[in-house]
């Protein structure tokens, strides 16, 4: 079996269990992003794959080989660190060629590989410089370059973009995606930033408290989150959660403080089958509309809801609203066009086809 | 608040630091100055009442008398012992410090506490066992008998360990992923970044070994092994008879003045490395 497989991996630090039990299978050539809040065990997982951290039990397989107890250098992996970890006393070329020199690669080949990697990352003119003479973005590229020259089976990234400013981060995201296509290697990328996960991943692994909450494509985790945690973590601004009760009216309806939404037939059927009466309603900010009249999108069914708007933030073609439904603070993003005045309290619409229901006890999706 | 009053406050704080600092500096420097001036006085002016700071005429007679002894041989011995001790201290201290900082092995922490505990042990306690040990090795009266006990002192091990702990872990992790084993990480990544620690340990070890007195005094049985401090110690007035004692004050002062010079040179050469800290320049943005 190729790719990377983690079987029942457990990690304890002393008495504290950081990862209770984790199994994960990553296909060869796949770009997988592990995402979660800080302290969720994502970096530990990556470091165990790299061999920088021992597993307490379980096994790790890379390209069909059991590497659980192998040294990092025997695992055929490259890694980019959050701190870049460039060797301060070596220039860029020496930083990039360090691994090749250790493995006694012929000099001519080292030169050629460094040249190629430097070209790919536009670092050619900086090869003689020391890390301290480079900007943050350039250091980041050198860290990438150091792993590219390896031509390793798998690339590991530990929050590599978190020290860059927003603009550079966005452009490096694109470059990384391009790099993945060019190199066609398995890549595992750890981040706490769900935007990075959504934009780059073939598949996203969402972790919390050492456990995998959901694995899926960006589309899947956004459209069909398994539970409240995933629903709240994926999407920006994040989903609003309101306590509600299921009541039989003309249609099956969720009713709570200041709102009542009739459920779409499919969701109503699932809600009935779940037999829970107390539920949590999930509303994504972007599924609010400035109007109550249906027809914006063909498949949308707008239900009216009263929003008490506290602040309306103008961001061009839409506005972010900090508002209240009943007594509950919520966020909404409504598309109104660039010339609209700041939105005020009143009747808004919500697309009930895009409404989420969660069991209020377990947090699982209904 | 009145901006003037805060400014006066700042001046006041500065004054409170500078004035005592100045006083202590003077207090520390005065005996040294007295020794240097004494070494340049004619014998008749050394012990006067009231004391006289400046000589009526500068005289090099004491230096001449001191240099009649085999000072060249003593200097070579001292340099030989100090340089080899320093090199061995650097090599062993760095290696042991790295093991304590980064390697995981059974009993590491207990061992480290033992190293620290040996700090507390006065050297005098070890004199006799050490003497017998050197006797068993057949080393008494050789330079190596002076060198060996001083290498791998607890201080260098401790200082290196603390310094290595301050080197970002990611650097070594990156090197491990790049294919470096423990030795390659230590030699190719950690040591080149440890110039400040090596300098500090180097200066201290050199000064300590160059200036040590009691142990070389016991071990040096001839001029062939005798070190500068031991040789110059012979001029100490308290070691002389009761006659014509005054001239020994001048010779002792001249010897002490000469003794400062080598350590001072080493410090002046190496001190710029103290400041040269480039460790974190490869990290982050």
């Amino acid at each position: 079996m190729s790719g990377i497989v983690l079987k029942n991996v457990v990690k304890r630090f002393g008495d504290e269990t950081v990862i209770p039990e984790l199994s994960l299978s990553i296909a060869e050539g796949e770009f997988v992003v592990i995402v979660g809040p800080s302290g969720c065990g994502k970096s530990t997982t990556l470091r165990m794959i790299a061999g920088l951290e021992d597993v307490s039990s379980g096994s790790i397989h890379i390209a069909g080989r059991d590497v659980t107890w192998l040294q990092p250098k025997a695992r055929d992996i490259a890694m980019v660190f959050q701190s870049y970890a460039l060797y301060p006393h070596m220039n860029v070329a020496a930083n990039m060629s360090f691994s090749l020199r250790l493995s006694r690669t012929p000099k001519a080949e080292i030169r050629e590989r460094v040249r190629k990697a430097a070209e790919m990352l536009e670092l050619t003119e900086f090869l003689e410089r020391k890390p301290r003479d480079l900007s943050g973005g350039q250091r980041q590229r050198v860290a990438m370059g150091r792993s590219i020259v390896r031509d390793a089976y798998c690339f590991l990234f530990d929050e590599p973009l978190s020290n860059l400013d927003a603009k550079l981060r966005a452009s490096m995201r694109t470059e990384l995606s391009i790099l993945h296509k060019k190199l066609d290697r398995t890549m595992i990328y750890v981040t706490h930033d769900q935007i990075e996960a959504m934009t780059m991943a073939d598949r996203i692994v969402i972790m919390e408290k050492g456990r995998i909450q959901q694995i899926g494509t960006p589309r899947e985790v956004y459209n069909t989150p398994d539970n409240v945690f995933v629903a709240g973590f994926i999407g920006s601004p994040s989903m609003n959660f309101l306590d509600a009760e299921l009541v039989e009216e003309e249609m099956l309806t969720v009713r709570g403080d200041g709102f009542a939404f009739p459920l779409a037939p499919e969701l109503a059927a699932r809600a009935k089958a779940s037999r829970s009466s107390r539920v949590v309603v999930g509303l994504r900010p972007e599924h609010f509309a400035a109007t109550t009249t249906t027809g914006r999108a063909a498949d949308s069914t707008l239900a009216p809801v009263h929003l008490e708007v506290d602040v309306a933030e103008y961001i061009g073609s839409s506005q972010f609203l900090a508002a209240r439904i009943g007594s509950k603070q919520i966020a909404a993003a409504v598309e109104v066009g660039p010339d609209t005045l700041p939105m005020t309290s009143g009747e808004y619409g919500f697309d009930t086809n895009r409404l989420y229901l969660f069991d209020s006890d377990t947090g699982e999706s209904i | 608040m009145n901006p003037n009053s805060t400014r006066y406050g700042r001046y006041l704080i500065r004054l409170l630091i500078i004035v005592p600092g100045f006083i202590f500096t003077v207090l520390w420097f005065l005996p040294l100055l007295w020794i240097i001036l004494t070494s340049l006085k004619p014998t008749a002016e050394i012990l006067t009442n009231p004391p006289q700071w400046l000589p009526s005429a500068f005289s090099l007679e004491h230096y001449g008398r001191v240099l009649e002894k085999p000072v060249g041989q003593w200097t070579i011995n001292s340099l030989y012992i100090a340089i080899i001790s320093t090199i061995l201290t650097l090599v062993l201290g760095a290696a042991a410090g790295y093991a304590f900082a980064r390697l995981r092995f059974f009993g590491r922490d207990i061992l480290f506490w033992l190293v620290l505990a040996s700090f507390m042990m006065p050297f005098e306690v070890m004199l006799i066992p050490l003497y017998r040990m050197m006797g068993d090795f057949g080393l008494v009266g050789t330079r190596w008998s002076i060198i060996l006990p001083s290498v791998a002192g607890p201080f260098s091990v401790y200082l290196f360990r603390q310094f290595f702990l301050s080197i970002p872990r990611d650097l070594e992790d990156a090197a491990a992923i790049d294919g470096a084993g423990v030795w390659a990480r230590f030699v190719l990544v950690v040591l080149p970044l440890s110039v400040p620690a090596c300098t500090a340990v180097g200066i201290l070890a050199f000064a300590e070994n160059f200036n040590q007195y009691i142990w070389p005094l016991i071990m040096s049985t001839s001029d062939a092994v005798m070190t500068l401090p031991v040789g110059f110690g012979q001029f100490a007035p308290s070691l002389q008879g009761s006659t014509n004692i005054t001239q020994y004050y001048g010779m002792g002062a001249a010897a002490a003045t000469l003794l400062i010079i080598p350590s001072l040179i080493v410090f002046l050469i190496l001190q710029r490395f103290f400041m040269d800290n480039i460790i974190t320049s490869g990290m982050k943005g």
Side-chain angles (χ1 to χ4, degrees):
Chain A
M1 185 173 18
S2 59
I4 295 170
V5 180
L6 282 72
K7 282 186 193 156
N8 309 320
V9 167
V10 175
K11 178 66 187 174
R12 281 182 290 267
F13 288 113
D15 293 337
E16 195 192 352
T17 302
V18 187
I19 293 174
E21 178 156 341
L22 186 145
S23 292
L24 176 64
S25 168
I26 294 164
E28 194 169 293
E30 202 175 10
F31 195 137
V32 166
V33 176
I34 304 177
V35 67
S38 58
C40 72
K42 56 191 189 302
S43 279
T44 307
T45 305
L46 195 74
R47 291 173 63 84
M48 287 193 293
I49 297 171
L52 297 172
E53 214 67 76
D54 288 340
V55 300
S56 301
S57 70
S59 63
I60 296 173
H61 306 259
I62 296 178
R65 219 159 40 112
D66 186 343
V67 300
T68 314
W69 299 107
L70 293 185
Q71 293 283 316
K73 62 176 174 181
R75 297 189 179 199
D76 199 11
I77 43 156
M79 183 161 170
V80 177
F81 292 81
Q82 180 177 11
S83 63
Y84 313 150
L86 303 180
Y87 312 121
H89 55 298
M90 301 181 195
N91 65 22
V92 171
N95 259 287
M96 284 167 58
S97 63
F98 187 64
S99 61
L100 300 176
R101 284 181 286 139
L102 281 174
S103 64
R104 305 193 190 287
T105 309
K107 282 215 173 91
E109 192 185 334
I110 293 180
R111 255 200 310 278
E112 182 55 23
R113 284 218 231 166
V114 169
R115 191 190 61 77
K116 256 195 187 152
E119 228 163 66
M120 199 188 291
L121 294 165
E122 293 166 19
L123 283 169
T124 311
E125 55 186 309
F126 305 115
L127 282 176
E128 299 303 318
R129 289 208 200 161
K130 290 273 176 68
R132 63 168 163 246
D133 301 322
L134 301 176
S135 70
Q138 289 162 343
R139 287 177 196 185
Q140 217 287 330
R141 294 168 123 83
V142 177
M144 298 271 188
R146 197 165 61 177
S147 55
I148 290 173
V149 293
R150 297 273 307 282
D151 196 24
Y153 177 78
C154 170
F155 289 78
L156 308 177
F157 300 91
D158 190 358
E159 309 217 12
L161 305 184
S162 57
N163 290 318
L164 301 179
D165 62 57
K167 210 167 176 186
L168 206 51
R169 195 151 60 218
S171 77
M172 282 309 282
R173 277 207 306 263
T174 318
E175 285 190 42
L176 258 171
S177 295
I178 294 170
L179 205 64
H180 177 235
K181 286 210 182 76
K182 263 192 210 159
L183 297 172
D184 194 24
R185 289 283 186 270
T186 312
M187 293 187 172
I188 306 176
Y189 186 106
V190 159
T191 179
H192 61 268
D193 181 352
Q194 58 96 21
I195 297 268
E196 283 178 20
M198 294 295 275
T199 49
M200 292 189 291
D202 292 331
R203 278 195 308 158
I204 297 179
V205 177
I206 298 148
M207 284 182 74
E208 191 209 19
K209 292 183 183 146
R211 290 179 199 279
I212 293 178
Q213 300 294 323
Q214 187 171 358
I215 305 178
T217 63
R219 221 168 272 277
E220 284 165 357
V221 296
Y222 177 83
N223 285 325
T224 54
D226 279 353
N227 54 41
V228 170
F229 178 80
V230 174
F233 196 82
I234 299 294
S236 171
S238 44
M239 190 186 279
N240 304 292
F241 296 105
L242 304 169
D243 291 323
E245 234 168 320
L246 281 172
V247 283
E248 285 283 0
E249 290 174 5
E250 232 169 283
M251 299 166 75
L252 189 62
T253 301
V254 281
R255 187 176 282 281
D257 179 15
F259 66 92
F261 296 118
L263 295 182
E266 211 177 305
L267 185 57
R270 272 183 281 146
K272 258 184 199 148
S274 81
R275 287 164 204 253
S276 27
S277 62
R278 295 218 48 85
V279 291
V280 173
V281 177
L283 310 173
R284 286 206 188 277
E286 56 270 36
H287 297 149
F288 283 92
T291 152
T292 55
T293 48
T294 306
R296 195 168 55 110
D299 64 337
S300 71
T301 317
L302 290 180
V305 58
H306 181 82
L307 292 189
E308 203 57 45
V309 176
D310 295 325
V311 182
E313 294 172 335
Y314 176 84
I315 50 156
S317 60
S318 28
Q319 292 186 14
F320 280 146
L321 308 181
R324 277 167 292 143
I325 294 179
S327 60
K328 176 94 176 168
Q329 273 289 340
I330 62 122
V334 289
E335 264 182 60
V336 286
D339 296 326
T340 315
L341 291 169
M343 303 295 286
T344 52
S345 303
E347 294 302 307
Y348 286 75
F350 187 82
D351 182 358
T352 50
N353 284 342
R354 294 194 160 83
L355 182 141
Y356 297 89
L357 280 187
F358 303 94
D359 187 297
S360 65
D361 295 323
T362 62
E364 295 299 310
S365 177
I366 292 174
Chain B
M1 204 203 239
N2 182 349
N4 277 333
S5 72
T6 62
R7 191 191 297 167
Y8 286 130
R10 260 208 305 277
Y11 280 132
L12 195 70
I13 289 171
R14 240 196 239 173
L15 223 64
L16 282 176
I17 295 169
I18 289 173
V19 171
F22 181 75
I23 292 171
F24 285 124
T25 308
V26 169
L27 280 179
W28 174 85
F29 187 68
L30 274 183
L32 190 68
L33 186 67
W34 180 258
I35 289 171
I36 294 171
L37 288 173
T38 300
S39 75
L40 296 168
K41 285 173 193 168
T43 306
E45 291 175 20
I46 289 176
L47 292 178
T48 54
N49 193 10
Q52 185 186 337
W53 277 92
L54 287 176
S56 57
F58 287 100
S59 141
L60 291 175
E61 61 167 292
H62 305 302
Y63 288 91
R65 301 282 290 279
V66 166
L67 293 174
E68 280 167 17
K69 293 277 186 173
V71 173
Q73 180 63 43
W74 297 347
T75 309
I76 289 170
N77 291 337
S78 273
L79 287 175
Y80 181 91
I81 288 166
I83 288 171
I84 291 190
S85 291
T86 303
I87 291 171
L88 288 177
T89 299
L90 284 172
V91 171
L92 295 175
Y98 186 71
F100 282 126
R102 286 286 192 248
L103 304 186
R104 273 187 244 162
F105 54 88
F106 178 75
R108 179 183 74 176
D109 293 343
I110 292 175
L111 220 60
F112 184 65
W113 282 108
L114 282 177
V115 169
L116 286 187
S118 70
F119 254 133
M120 320 290 171
M121 199 181 288
F123 185 70
E124 288 76 3
V125 172
M126 296 186 281
L127 273 183
I128 291 170
L130 213 52
Y131 184 88
R132 298 187 60 154
M133 200 183 200
M134 289 302 147
D136 290 346
F137 291 159
L139 289 175
V140 174
T142 65
R143 289 166 175 166
W144 282 101
S145 70
I146 303 174
I147 293 171
L148 287 177
S150 70
V151 300
F155 182 71
S156 64
V157 175
Y158 174 75
L159 199 139
F160 271 118
R161 174 184 179 266
Q162 297 311 104
F163 186 84
F164 292 150
L165 285 177
S166 75
I167 293 180
R169 192 71 189 242
D170 275 0
L171 280 180
E172 285 176 72
D173 285 345
I177 295 219
D178 272 347
V182 172
W183 275 105
R185 294 205 291 274
F186 178 53
V187 175
L188 299 177
V189 176
V190 173
L191 271 188
L193 297 175
S194 303
V195 175
C198 292
T199 315
V201 170
I203 288 176
L204 293 170
F206 185 88
E208 190 181 306
N209 285 300
F210 194 87
N211 293 329
Q212 64 169 329
Y213 182 72
I214 296 285
W215 185 246
L217 178 67
I218 295 166
M219 283 296 119
S220 42
T221 45
S222 68
D223 277 334
V225 187
M226 195 171 287
T227 62
L228 267 183
V230 175
F232 282 171
Q234 295 170 2
F235 298 113
S238 55
L239 294 179
Q240 318 305 330
S242 53
T243 54
N244 202 13
I245 201 169
T246 312
Q247 62 167 327
Y248 284 104
Y249 280 104
M251 282 155 70
T257 306
L258 287 176
L259 202 51
I260 299 169
I261 296 170
S263 293
L264 199 64
I265 291 174
V266 170
F267 179 76
L268 288 178
I269 292 172
L270 293 183
Q271 65 156 352
R272 65 192 182 91
F273 293 113
F274 262 137
M275 308 300 163
D276 196 8
N277 193 342
I278 57 164
I279 300 302
T280 53
S281 59
M283 313 295 285
K284 292 193 182 170

